Amino acid sequence: MQKTPETQKTMGKGARTCRRCGTHRAIIRKYGLNICRRCIREIAGDLGFRKY
């Protein structure tokens, strides 16, 4: 696949951002969450996750 300016914006880690805070780092995409790990720790209880 050729990297053109149009496709460059939709490829790689920089294209994915946290839905809550907008950061590009440490995105958890499992289950379609697309939230960074820091935001997950803050709202995990509301999402139904529990610590064991």
Side-chain angles (χ1 to χ4, degrees):
M1 182 171 187
Q2 290 281 334
K3 288 186 180 180
T4 61
E6 295 84 28
T7 60
Q8 188 66 33
K9 294 175 188 171
T10 60
M11 295 173 56
K13 290 182 180 181
R16 295 186 290 269
T17 60
C18 175
R19 290 190 300 181
R20 193 160 180 256
C21 68
T23 188
H24 297 283
R25 299 177 139 208
I27 302 296
I28 297 173
R29 299 191 305 162
K30 193 170 185 177
Y31 311 119
L33 290 174
N34 296 322
I35 300 175
C36 71
R37 66 172 181 81
R38 293 170 293 281
C39 291
I40 286 281
R41 285 185 60 94
E42 293 175 9
I43 63 170
D46 299 336
L47 295 173
F49 289 96
R50 293 194 320 186
K51 229 176 168 179
Y52 287 102

